[in-house]
Amino acid sequence: MIEILPIFTNSPLRNYSYLVYSNRTGEAYCIDPFDAKEILNLSQKLGVKIKGILNTHEHGDHTQGNLELKEETKAIVYGHKDAKHKIPGMDQILNEGDIVFTSEEESLTVWDTPGHTFSHLSFVRKNPKSILGIFSGDTLFNVGVGNCFRGGDPNVLYETITSRFESLPDSCLLYPGHDYWDNNLKFAEHIDPENSYRKEYKSTLKPFQISKMEDEKKLNPFFRRNTTSVKDSLIKLNEKFLDDRSVFLTLRKLRDKW
Ligand SMILES: [Fe+2]
């Protein structure tokens, strides 16, 4: 099976890097390296060899460890075809459906997930029966979605969230590009005040919790955009919306100003 080590970087950006690896073969891949030294130390402790660096997208906080990690490990750097000249050290393109890595019955497969930027990939851990987890970069966060003001488009993000992320199975684990639990929960309290599940969930929340899609569907205001709790808040704020898409876009706009 594919093992996962989340690596939280104690910077104001609250980035996550991830090591995904096989204990059987010792083969490892690093998603969005931030602190190359820490990642190298951890890979040595695990006894695995980093063969590839996988960038979800081109923003510097997701690629800043690329060159140092590549130099030390001779790993291949992968990214979206349209980010070729923006990702430091990028060697190879990944396209929708590519399989990056397999371990026994499990694989790490590429999804093309534009919106936060136009060259954004997500990585899906799956077995033949189900999707087990998703590395969502800056597309989907705990209790929120990515912003679109550094090269993205909220309309495209809406398409990606609704066509791909909303249909993920309840048991799928979410591995986002940043730990934004605190701020996103505060925004949720503001915009979705009547959500009793959130109160219950918060009482069990641990630092750096990895959530399931089942929880995200019940916590994330962008998934709960058609509830009366969210819609009544928008009406109270004098926000106008016509359809599902415009509720999503209104939430994104309000979160930008939060
Ligand atoms: Fe980003």
Side-chain angles (χ1 to χ4, degrees), residues 80-203:
H80 192 282
K81 64 177 172 19
D82 299 330
K84 213 173 171 181
H85 304 293
K86 299 175 191 161
I87 289 182
M90 184 167 147
D91 299 301
Q92 281 193 33
I93 286 167
L94 288 174
N95 292 302
E96 168 74 29
D98 284 351
I99 294 171
V100 185
F101 170 46
T102 57
S103 177
E104 289 149 88
E105 288 227 293
E106 292 185 11
S107 69
L108 196 67
T109 302
V110 177
W111 277 13
D112 195 343
T113 52
H116 173 67
T117 74
F118 282 91
S119 33
H120 192 296
L121 303 171
S122 295
F123 302 101
V124 171
R125 176 188 164 213
K126 54 161 95 168
N127 66 21
K129 287 188 190 147
S130 189
I131 294 179
L132 307 170
I134 186 158
F135 298 90
S136 59
D138 287 1
T139 301
L140 180 67
F141 294 120
N142 303 110
V143 205
V145 299
N147 66 49
C148 302
F149 44 70
R150 285 172 64 211
D153 180 335
N155 271 289
V156 177
L157 186 67
Y158 169 77
E159 299 293 339
T160 293
I161 293 290
T162 53
S163 67
R164 311 218 66 173
F165 285 84
E166 279 186 347
S167 50
L168 285 166
D170 284 351
S171 55
C172 173
L173 296 171
L174 175 65
Y175 301 97
H178 297 261
D179 171 53
Y180 287 160
W181 273 110
D182 281 0
N183 277 351
N184 283 345
L185 278 169
K186 282 177 195 152
F187 179 69
E189 273 154 29
H190 166 67
I191 211 71
D192 183 12
E194 303 306 322
N195 183 354
S196 54
Y197 183 75
R198 186 182 57 244
K199 286 161 202 157
E200 195 187 304
Y201 190 85
K202 266 185 81 179
S203 67

Side-chain angles (χ1 to χ4, degrees), residues 57 59 62 116 138:
H57 65 293
H59 288 159
H62 295 258
H116 173 67
D138 287 1

